Amino acid sequence: MLYAVFMSSALPPFPKPEESISEPQLLEVRSFGDKPCLRADAARNRAKLLEAAARLIAEHGVAGVTMEAVATAAEVGKGTVFRRFGDRTGLLMALLDHSAQTLQADFMGGPPPLGPGAPPGERLRAFGVAVLYRSAEQLDLQLAAQPDPARRFSHTALLALRTHVTMLLRQIVPDADCELLSQPLMAYLDPALINHLTRQRGMPMERLEAGWIDLVARVTATPPPC
């Protein structure tokens, strides 16, 4: 299963610690530059371009996905690809749409412990594990789709994940500055860090999973699962 989140609009302001916060509604996922409603022909062209990009990844890896290559594979002009996705990052983010919708559905309305119904601490642990393995499954694509540093932390994909972590933290440690506390937790789940630890340092995913469980326990001052 592939997981990633990309939201289409800015999030509302964070509620104050004393205010309650509930599960947000399932958010629409779409790529850079997409308009809310596409004409039928535009939707077909978009699907055709994404299918071509997916074939290129299967045949040549993420490095083989350029705007020119996708245009050639889809038999359209290069300008069509740029108009639809804006740039290569937008195109790669669009390839993550399915996983984005899947992850949102899982943590907003899926079965516990990732979805509602489990204690917030269990949900937070399950969320981190899901994101870790999502990144490991599609690491090359995630790394290639990361936005530039100037917009990295304001990017809607990261905001969606951090909002969910903040919501869970407010249920576990309501007197903490949960908006800031979510930052070190999200840093642990950064694809670049996962790439460094697993590929460059050779750490197994089981160690990263155990580290996440331990980090949540220490940050929230709650006992880890038995």
Side-chain angles (χ1 to χ4, degrees):
M1 181 185 298
L2 299 179
Y3 290 115
V5 173
F6 179 72
M7 288 171 38
S8 59
S9 59
L11 294 168
F14 286 100
K16 297 178 180 179
E18 62 270 15
E19 295 176 341
S20 62
I21 183 167
S22 58
E23 285 284 352
Q25 295 181 347
L26 186 64
L27 300 167
E28 183 181 359
V29 177
R30 57 177 180 263
S31 62
F32 292 103
D34 274 359
K35 295 192 169 45
C37 296
L38 294 176
R39 301 189 314 272
D41 58 341
R44 285 192 297 270
N45 286 339
R46 181 177 185 275
K48 182 179 180 181
L49 291 169
L50 291 176
E51 289 171 1
R55 288 198 307 271
L56 288 172
I57 288 181
E59 295 170 1
H60 308 291
V62 175
V65 179
T66 65
M67 305 298 265
E68 294 82 357
V70 171
T72 299
E75 299 180 338
V76 300
K78 185 171 67 174
T80 300
V81 187
F82 279 97
R83 284 193 299 273
R84 176 55 55 209
F85 301 107
D87 57 18
R88 183 173 183 267
T89 297
L91 172 62
L92 295 176
M93 286 301 303
L95 289 170
L96 297 173
D97 277 359
H98 176 69
S99 60
Q101 294 168 346
T102 301
L103 178 60
Q104 286 188 69
D106 284 350
F107 71 65
M108 291 180 184
L114 183 56
E122 291 185 19
R123 296 191 66 195
L124 183 57
R125 289 189 287 268
F127 172 82
V129 171
V131 174
L132 280 171
Y133 283 94
R134 176 275 322 261
S135 294
E137 287 177 351
Q138 53 181 10
L139 197 49
D140 289 332
L141 181 56
Q142 291 228 9
L143 291 173
Q146 284 195 331
D148 61 76
R151 56 177 175 162
R152 180 176 180 183
F153 292 103
S154 61
H155 193 271
T156 47
L158 185 62
L159 287 174
L161 296 174
R162 194 168 63 238
T163 296
H164 183 64
V165 170
T166 301
M167 179 203 72
L168 295 174
L169 285 172
R170 286 194 172 119
Q171 297 176 26
I172 304 168
V173 283
D175 57 338
D177 188 338
C178 297
E179 183 178 350
L180 288 180
L181 199 59
S182 68
Q183 300 288 348
L185 290 174
M186 290 304 304
Y188 188 93
L189 303 174
D190 186 272
L193 177 61
I194 296 171
N195 177 69
H196 169 69
L197 295 177
T198 59
R199 293 182 174 179
Q200 297 177 337
R201 297 196 57 190
M203 292 186 185
M205 286 300 298
E206 291 79 7
R207 183 176 177 184
L208 271 64
E209 179 179 347
W212 169 259
I213 301 301
D214 182 62
L215 178 62
V216 170
R218 294 176 187 276
V219 167
T220 62
T222 56
C226 299

